Amino acid sequence: MGLTYAVAAFGAAVVIAVCVATGPGRALVKLLVVGALLIGGNLTASRALSGGFAGSRHG
């Protein structure tokens, strides 16, 4: 579980760095949305693959 949070933190650091380089505006908002989706998807997929969701091993 620790590695999952480490990768999520790395993703957040990359998103923040790109946002700082972009500057204020519509592109910044788009980057924040994409970054949130990236981190959320990473955490959700990691939890599903580790068996954290009921029924995720069926199929």
Side-chain angles (χ1 to χ4, degrees):
M1 194 70 157
L3 183 60
T4 299
Y5 291 127
V7 172
F10 179 74
V14 169
V15 169
I16 290 170
V18 173
C19 287
V20 169
T22 302
R26 289 182 65 193
L28 175 67
V29 175
K30 291 177 185 179
L31 285 170
L32 290 173
V33 170
V34 169
L37 291 172
L38 174 76
I39 294 167
N42 177 25
L43 294 174
T44 303
S46 177
R47 183 173 174 200
L49 291 174
S50 69
F53 291 131
S56 64
R57 294 186 182 189
H58 302 290

